Amino acid sequence: MRKWRTTLLGLIAVLGATMTGCWQETKPPENASPSFRGVTVKVGALDEASLLAGVTAHGGEWKASREGAIAIREQPVTLGTATEVDVLLFPGDRLGDLIDADLQAAIPNEAVMPPVREATVPGEPSRSAETAGEAKPAEDPYDFMGVAAPYRDQVTRYGNERMALPYGGSALVLVYRRDAFEREANRTAAADKGIKLEPPKTWGQLDALAQFFQGRDWDGDGQADHGISLVLGVDPEGLGNATFLARSASLGQHPDQFSFLFDSDKMAPRIDAEPFVEALGGLIALKAAGPPKLETFDAAAARQAFRTGKVAMLIDRAERAASWSHGKPVGVAALPGSERLFDPASRTWTTPPQRNAPSYLPHGGGWLVGVRKGLSGTPLDAAIDLAKYLSNPDKSDRIRAERAFPMLPFRAAQMGEGLPDPASSPDVDTRLWSEAVGRTFAAAQTVVGLRIPGADDYLAELAEGRAAALGGTAP
């Protein structure tokens, strides 16, 4: 009897569901994944094919949930072949070139911003969002507002349009040997010279620390050590230019001025203005506070010098933490600022009420994912959906942990989670790393690396000018 009763109840349930279906149209869940069955999205990377590691490793879930296909172009894409892919991964500093070549489609704000639910009062008709005081955003699995402000407001935008979504971040930090700063003999010697052994707040303090450590046996092994390692020479990563522009920004990015590298009204270059000249002079002086031939160092040489354990400080990109470990505790801090500030309007130096410390983001902010112009209908929807998938909270967290192409998180919540791959950086203090990265992206001002058309040519000339100054030409 129990079996018959169970079967009878099941039949009633089935009949009820069937009858309900006749009277009321069923709707898919609000956050159900869209279906792109039969659609193939072609994906490529501009200049750097290793950017595709994240798509290769984590694209399977998109294919399974959307019933679509992903075709990965394994060879690097150029501006001439960019029309052969639908979704493009690229360095942020190439955005101007892509816009100039009319290759990128704008991504509508509604594609990443959740719609506003209409608020209703029981017994009354639904009211629009404009008139409903209780109207709230719908659930937002993409969590656009969780993206750090520089990426929401600057890095992914070009003019008034959003031309890409973030894929991975980049930022400069100061790396230092903790034992050099904490050894009691060093503390005593520094105090006698009026120097505090702590991460510097200003570039002047950094210079003083580098000079203090230079030639001193600060690790107690009986041999003289060095103060700082950094990129001063011409290097393919552009780290030398980035370090110079970061120091220049602290002196020349006025909080009341939009302009930095160019006068925004006349588009006249400001690269020979006082803040840039002073910043270059300060970096040239650091030649005497580092290992031999520091003026020729590229990024690989600068990191190698720090890994030998004979250099107290290093300026590097935070995402390269795996290259710092050498068996001793490593600390990390945000780059310093300046107590002096140049006012381009009055062309005078001023003392701001608080330290001027804008962040400088190299590579045009990092790496982006964009959609090819010319797509429409379902192929366009699929391309935008894949771009969102690659930068959503879950996938972006996994992609940044890929060792093949290290990148920083661009979501605020992820910055507090520490190093994406702690096992690769066993000596690095993960708390200090998180604080330095978080402070960099939360700065009151952010200068995004040059992204105008032809940015590579401008930066190549800048590198030549820096090299000439390091060789003896006046800054």
Side-chain angles (χ1 to χ4, degrees):
M1 289 296 293
R2 266 196 296 270
K3 290 182 181 177
W4 278 103
R5 191 178 299 118
T6 302
T7 304
L8 180 60
L9 290 172
L11 286 170
I12 293 172
V14 171
L15 285 170
T18 305
M19 293 174 70
T20 302
C22 295
W23 297 329
Q24 180 178 344
E25 181 183 356
T26 59
K27 294 182 179 180
E30 185 175 334
N31 293 318
S33 299
S35 175
F36 298 115
R37 181 178 297 176
V39 177
T40 298
V41 180
K42 293 172 285 186
V43 183
L46 186 67
D47 300 337
E48 303 170 280
S50 51
L51 266 174
L52 295 166
V55 184
T56 302
H58 304 289
E61 186 179 324
W62 187 90
K63 292 187 287 186
S65 61
R66 273 65 166 181
E67 302 179 288
I70 297 175
I72 296 178
R73 181 189 175 103
E74 296 183 355
Q75 297 301 316
V77 172
T78 65
L79 290 180
T81 60
T83 56
E84 299 175 10
V85 299
D86 305 316
V87 171
L88 182 66
L89 307 176
F90 60 94
D93 50 17
R94 296 301 304 277
L95 182 58
D97 290 330
L98 290 167
I99 299 296
D100 196 44
D102 202 26
L103 294 171
Q104 289 294 104
I107 296 178
N109 280 329
E110 55 266 27
V112 292
M113 295 290 287
V116 176
R117 284 201 193 101
E118 292 184 350
T120 59
V121 176
E124 292 186 9
S126 174
R127 299 175 295 165
S128 68
E130 288 78 11
T131 60
E134 301 86 354
K136 296 180 180 179
E139 185 178 347
D140 180 18
Y142 181 72
D143 188 22
F144 180 70
M145 295 309 294
V147 174
Y151 291 89
R152 290 198 320 265
D153 303 335
Q154 294 175 259
V155 176
T156 60
R157 298 178 68 89
Y158 204 83
N160 295 322
E161 294 184 297
R162 190 171 313 284
M163 302 305 300
L165 298 177
Y167 187 66
S170 183
L172 300 180
V173 291
L174 176 69
V175 189
Y176 60 93
R177 280 277 298 266
R178 291 188 63 177
D179 55 345
F181 281 72
E182 296 169 2
R183 190 165 175 259
E184 191 56 39
N186 296 339
R187 288 183 174 276
T188 301
D192 291 342
K193 294 181 176 294
I195 297 173
K196 290 184 178 181
L197 288 192
E198 61 184 19
K201 299 294 190 298
T202 68
W203 285 94
Q205 292 173 2
L206 181 143
D207 295 341
L209 284 167
Q211 293 162 8
F212 169 78
F213 286 124
Q214 179 66 15
R216 183 180 299 275
D217 178 19
W218 47 255
D219 60 358
D221 66 353
Q223 299 179 7
D225 301 312
H226 302 292
I228 192 168
S229 180
L230 72 163
V231 177
L232 293 180
V234 177
D235 70 303
E237 283 190 35
L239 186 52
N241 279 346
T243 303
F244 162 65
L245 292 173
R247 184 160 185 163
S248 300
S250 70
L251 293 164
Q253 179 56 67
H254 198 284
D256 296 334
Q257 296 282 334
F258 179 79
S259 301
F260 176 57
L261 283 171
F262 292 86
D263 183 309
S264 59
D265 295 324
K266 304 175 183 177
M267 272 309 289
R270 298 183 58 216
I271 196 69
D272 59 350
E274 290 85 338
F276 299 92
V277 174
E278 180 165 318
L280 185 53
L283 291 176
I284 291 171
L286 286 176
K287 287 193 301 182
K293 298 185 178 180
L294 178 61
E295 66 273 14
T296 67
F297 277 16
D298 60 9
R303 292 173 188 135
Q304 175 60 26
F306 185 77
R307 276 198 309 275
T308 63
K310 304 300 290 180
V311 178
M313 297 182 292
L314 167 73
I315 295 177
D316 198 4
R317 290 160 46 203
E319 61 268 28
R320 298 308 300 264
S323 64
W324 306 335
S325 292
H326 55 274
K328 295 290 184 179
V330 173
V332 189
L335 287 190
S338 174
E339 293 176 340
R340 298 174 67 243
L341 179 61
F342 186 76
D343 185 347
S346 63
R347 299 194 64 80
T348 59
W349 288 98
T350 62
T351 302
Q354 57 186 10
R355 181 173 55 95
N356 195 55
S359 295
Y360 178 84
L361 304 186
H363 292 298
W367 293 270
L368 305 175
V369 52
V371 173
R372 173 173 64 86
K373 192 170 184 178
L375 294 174
S376 61
T378 302
L380 175 61
D381 294 340
I384 292 177
D385 186 76
L386 179 57
K388 288 178 60 178
Y389 170 88
L390 294 173
S391 64
N392 73 30
D394 178 51
K395 291 300 168 292
S396 63
D397 201 32
R398 299 182 191 183
I399 288 172
R400 71 187 177 95
E402 292 293 326
R403 294 188 181 185
F405 201 95
M407 298 180 291
L408 293 184
F410 52 82
R411 293 180 175 275
Q414 294 169 353
M415 293 171 195
E417 296 174 358
L419 290 157
D421 185 13
S424 68
S425 314
D427 303 322
V428 180
D429 188 309
T430 189
R431 179 185 62 83
L432 293 176
W433 184 91
S434 290
E435 289 180 358
V437 171
R439 195 170 295 140
T440 300
F441 288 137
Q445 284 183 288
T446 302
V447 176
V448 179
L450 193 63
R451 306 184 302 160
I452 64 174
D456 281 354
D457 293 333
Y458 283 95
L459 294 175
E461 289 193 8
L462 173 59
E464 292 176 6
R466 288 192 305 102
L470 286 161
T473 301

